[in-house]
């Protein structure tokens, strides 16, 4: 069994996926530049699994460094590609940086993979590719050319690039995993979502309110056409998501072609649903403030996950209460992050 290169492997989803890979007996190589992660997460992965791995602190924009990783590990057979900037609001303010980092970085990675004949890739895409015009629940056959923000467009474009790469060379095997809103943490409480700076995502923000680091949660909009007026999203336990990547790696090892696959629960929960489930987990009320809607946000977003079950034999196991219990376990054990 060849090695798996995990770009962005020190990050939230990356670290949980590395745990699942190691537990399943894979050898891994992690590449990360720590732009939104911390070196400590690598120690935690080792602690949870009892296994070691090679790590390279490198940026995908540096083709020489990326090539060096493949040169030193000629047995890399497949890549799981998480590395990328991912804050919707920030992408609206910094489109050039987002397009450059996410798209150019991926092109450098593909060049290195092609050069070293490692043509199997699992790409961390996003439900944002479905944009504003598709009806929920989202299915993989829907058009994906109308994202609402530059971050989403980088995902649309990278999916297109990977499709084109396969058309040019049918030796490639590509899984485009479109996922929704990963939350929660590993049962051990050792790894979880620990962004650098003020969180952009709902869940770590709630967690920081719960541990007393932030005064109140800002809820962006309570006038959407949803049961309680707040946005409804398909929240998925990060461990379920990590296991989905494990299934996808097995799939690309055995099948050529390109498949877009939703990883979600198929159920939506509102912002306030998540807040109240977190209150239940931590045993106290958490203050929140209603703020204006954010540009580019939509009322409903959830998946039809049937294809993942059929192709990958995968489905989500955990509900919102378990996501919040595990997330709180991580937050209270790591109030200041990793």
């Amino acid at each position: 069994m060849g090695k798996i290169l995990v770009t962005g492997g020190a990050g939230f989803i990356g670290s949980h996926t590395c745990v699942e890979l190691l537990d399943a007996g894979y050898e891994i190589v992690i590449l990360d530049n720590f732009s939104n992660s911390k070196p400590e997460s690598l120690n935690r992965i080792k602690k949870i699994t009892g296994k070691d791995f090679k790590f390279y602190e490198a940026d995908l924009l540096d083709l020489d460094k990326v090539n060096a990783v493949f040169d030193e590990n000629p047995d890399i057979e497949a890549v799981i590609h998480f590395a990328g900037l991912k804050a919707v609001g920030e992408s609206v303010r910094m489109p050039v940086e987002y397009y450059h980092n996410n798209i150019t970085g991926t092109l450098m990675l593909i060049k290195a993979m092609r050069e070293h004949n490692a043509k199997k890739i699992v790409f961390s895409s996003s439900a944002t590719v479905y944009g504003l015009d598709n009806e929920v629940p989202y299915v993989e056959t829907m058009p994906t050319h109308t994202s609402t923000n530059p971050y989403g467009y980088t995902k649309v474009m990278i999916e297109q690039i990977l499709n084109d790469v396969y058309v040019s060379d049918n030796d490639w095997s590509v899984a485009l995993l479109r996922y929704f809103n990963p939350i929660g943490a590993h049962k051990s409480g050792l790894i979880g979502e620990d962004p650098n700076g003020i969180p952009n995502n709902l869940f770590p923000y709630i967690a920081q309110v719960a541990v007393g680091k932030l005064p109140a949660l800002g809820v962006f909009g309570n006038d959407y056409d949803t049961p309680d007026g707040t946005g409804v999203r398909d929240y998925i336990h990060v461990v379920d998501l990590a296991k989905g990547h494990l299934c996808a790696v097995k799939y690309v090892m055995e099948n050529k072609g390109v498949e877009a696959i939703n990883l979600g629960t198929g159920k939506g929960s509102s912002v306030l649903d998540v807040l109240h489930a977190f209150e239940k987990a931590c045993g106290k009320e958490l203050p929140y403030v209603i703020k204006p809607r954010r540009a580019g946000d939509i009322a409903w977003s959830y998946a039809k996950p049937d294809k993942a079950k059929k192709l990958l034999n995968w489905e989500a196991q955990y509900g919102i209460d378990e996501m919040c219990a595990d997330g709180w376990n991580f937050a209270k054990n790591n109030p200041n992050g990793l």
Side-chain angles (χ1 to χ4, degrees):
M1 195 154 55
K3 285 184 187 146
I4 312 294
L5 172 65
V6 186
T7 73
F12 175 43
I13 306 165
S15 60
H16 287 80
T17 300
C18 288
V19 166
E20 295 301 324
L21 288 165
L22 290 164
D23 281 349
Y26 287 92
E27 274 192 82
I28 64 169
V29 177
I30 297 179
L31 181 152
D32 206 301
N33 67 357
F34 299 126
S35 69
N36 196 34
S37 59
K38 300 191 178 85
E40 175 58 25
S41 68
L42 303 174
N43 299 328
R44 303 286 180 95
I45 294 167
K46 290 172 187 171
K47 192 169 176 183
I48 292 168
T49 61
K51 293 180 178 171
D52 205 354
F53 48 82
K54 280 194 186 171
F55 169 72
Y56 294 85
E57 185 171 351
D59 195 303
L60 288 179
L61 294 168
D62 186 339
L63 183 57
D64 289 343
K65 273 197 178 166
V66 180
N67 272 321
V69 172
F70 282 91
D71 289 340
E72 289 171 30
N73 300 276
D75 52 348
I76 289 173
E77 197 175 340
V79 176
I80 304 181
H81 178 30
F82 292 108
L85 300 173
K86 66 179 183 68
V88 169
E90 186 180 68
S91 79
V92 175
R93 292 195 308 277
M94 300 165 55
V96 174
E97 287 76 9
Y98 265 69
Y99 286 123
H100 179 57
N101 184 81
N102 292 7
I103 295 173
T104 312
T106 303
L107 289 170
M108 297 300 109
L109 176 63
I110 292 168
K111 279 186 170 178
M113 290 171 70
R114 187 175 63 184
E115 181 76 21
H116 295 85
N117 205 32
K119 297 179 178 176
K120 299 174 171 68
I121 184 168
V122 175
F123 172 57
S124 161
S125 192
S126 163
T128 55
V129 301
Y130 290 112
L132 285 170
D133 302 329
N134 290 309
E135 295 287 313
V136 290
Y138 298 138
V139 291
E140 292 86 351
T141 49
M142 288 174 168
T144 57
H145 298 295
T146 55
S147 186
T148 57
N149 53 73
Y151 160 71
Y153 268 120
T154 68
K155 298 295 189 185
V156 170
M157 291 177 191
I158 292 165
E159 284 196 6
Q160 184 64 50
I161 289 164
L162 287 164
N163 269 292
D164 293 341
V165 166
Y166 172 71
V167 169
S168 74
D169 177 359
N170 294 162
D171 264 351
W172 280 79
S173 178
V174 180
L176 309 169
L177 300 185
R178 294 174 180 166
Y179 38 86
F180 288 70
N181 293 61
I183 61 174
H186 193 268
K187 283 261 182 279
S188 63
L190 288 169
I191 52 173
E193 191 166 9
D194 180 33
N196 295 340
I198 299 282
N200 287 298
N201 292 349
L202 170 69
F203 200 77
Y205 206 106
I206 293 176
Q208 291 196 12
V209 173
V211 296
K213 285 184 75 178
L214 292 171
L217 171 70
V219 175
F220 297 103
N222 65 342
D223 56 351
Y224 287 105
D225 184 15
T226 61
D228 63 18
T230 63
V232 170
R233 298 290 179 270
D234 189 337
Y235 293 95
I236 177 172
H237 197 301
V238 65
V239 172
D240 274 336
L241 194 57
K243 288 182 171 160
H245 287 78
L246 184 62
C247 296
V249 161
K250 289 178 186 161
Y251 184 83
V252 297
M253 295 286 205
E254 293 162 9
N255 299 274
K256 291 184 176 168
V258 184
E259 293 289 351
I261 305 166
N262 287 337
L263 293 184
T265 62
K267 297 189 237 348
S269 302
S270 74
V271 172
L272 292 182
D273 288 336
V274 177
L275 178 71
H276 297 324
F278 206 100
E279 288 176 332
K280 197 159 77 175
C282 71
K284 58 188 173 194
E285 271 191 45
L286 301 173
Y288 66 93
V289 180
I290 301 297
K291 296 187 169 182
R293 292 183 180 193
R294 279 185 307 197
D297 270 354
I298 52 181
W300 293 86
S301 170
Y302 61 95
K304 201 168 191 315
D306 303 16
K307 186 173 178 181
K309 186 165 188 201
K310 191 173 135 205
L311 276 194
L312 306 182
N313 196 26
W314 172 90
E315 56 188 327
Q317 303 297 316
Y318 300 111
I320 201 89
D321 287 344
E322 289 160 305
M323 299 178 210
C324 289
D326 291 340
W328 170 237
N329 185 38
F330 172 74
K332 72 180 183 200
N333 286 316
N334 304 273
N336 299 309
L338 292 172

